[in-house]
Amino acid sequence: MRPLRTEERLTEAGRPVDDLEGVESKTTTTVAMDFGRITLREDLVLYLFGTPGQDRFWFLWDELAQGALGAVVLADTRRLEDCFAAVDYFERRRIPFTVAVNVFEGAERFPAQTVRAALDLDPEVPLLVCDARDRSSVRDVLVAVVEHALERSARTREPVAT
């Protein structure tokens, strides 16, 4: 079965909704959430929900966060401030998360410590540089968030998510 498209061309009708500041050359916008399933072992399956960061999708977050093992905040250094709300969301709900700085052509690269400071991340929050188009890079991010969730669960002896 062919996957559904969750990206569509930007139109004039979406101008009031889609903020293109910092990404003026962007030609598409997210119109739905993504879903995936990865079987790591016969007894270990990850269900992945890609929730867009735009405000119009925030109503989904509370439902999807219930029972979540962890989360990935995908950061774009051209608009790093867009990550503040997601970081705050997962911190407040005590859901383990990893920040993955996605590399975009033409985007300025910053040292990890600079991004960590800009997002005011706690030292134990993993921060990785990734390319969301590269399978092995995405795998590394998923491994990092699972390891972080397991370490935190073992350290606090609490459930992984609330």
Side-chain angles (χ1 to χ4, degrees):
M1 180 187 309
R2 203 177 96 215
L4 296 173
R5 292 174 44 108
T6 59
E7 293 286 315
E8 292 295 335
R9 294 194 61 73
L10 284 165
T11 65
E12 195 61 36
R15 185 177 299 279
V17 178
D18 289 300
D19 177 14
L20 299 180
E21 187 176 332
V23 289
E24 289 79 9
S25 63
K26 183 177 174 176
T27 60
T28 61
T29 189
T30 306
V31 294
M33 69 177 217
D34 294 317
F35 171 76
R37 176 187 152 144
I38 297 175
T39 303
L40 300 176
R41 297 186 318 235
E42 190 174 302
D43 63 336
L44 182 57
V45 178
L46 293 181
Y47 291 90
L48 308 169
F49 298 90
T51 56
Q54 295 100 328
D55 291 347
R56 67 181 182 264
F57 291 103
W58 276 86
F59 71 94
L60 295 169
W61 286 48
D62 286 335
E63 293 297 320
L64 293 175
Q66 289 183 25
L69 170 68
V72 174
V73 175
L74 192 59
D76 179 347
T77 58
R78 298 170 299 181
R79 301 189 332 175
L80 203 54
E81 66 278 0
D82 288 354
C83 297
F84 295 159
V87 167
D88 186 52
Y89 181 90
F90 296 118
E91 284 178 343
R92 274 198 263 144
R93 285 159 183 81
R94 302 180 69 205
I95 296 173
F97 69 97
T98 296
V99 174
V101 180
N102 198 11
V103 292
F104 289 95
E105 291 177 28
E108 191 172 350
R109 307 274 168 99
F110 297 95
Q113 282 309 110
T114 302
V115 176
R116 181 175 291 285
L119 292 175
D120 193 27
L121 296 176
D122 290 336
E124 70 272 0
V125 174
L127 184 131
L128 296 88
V129 173
C130 78
D131 182 340
R133 302 163 296 186
D134 179 64
R135 185 180 188 102
S136 65
S137 186
V138 171
R139 179 203 60 222
D140 294 346
V141 170
L142 293 176
V143 167
V145 74
V146 170
E147 288 176 344
H148 177 54
L150 291 172
E151 288 168 6
R152 192 172 123 192
S153 178
R155 189 173 59 243
T156 62
R157 297 196 188 279
E158 295 176 357
V160 173
T162 56

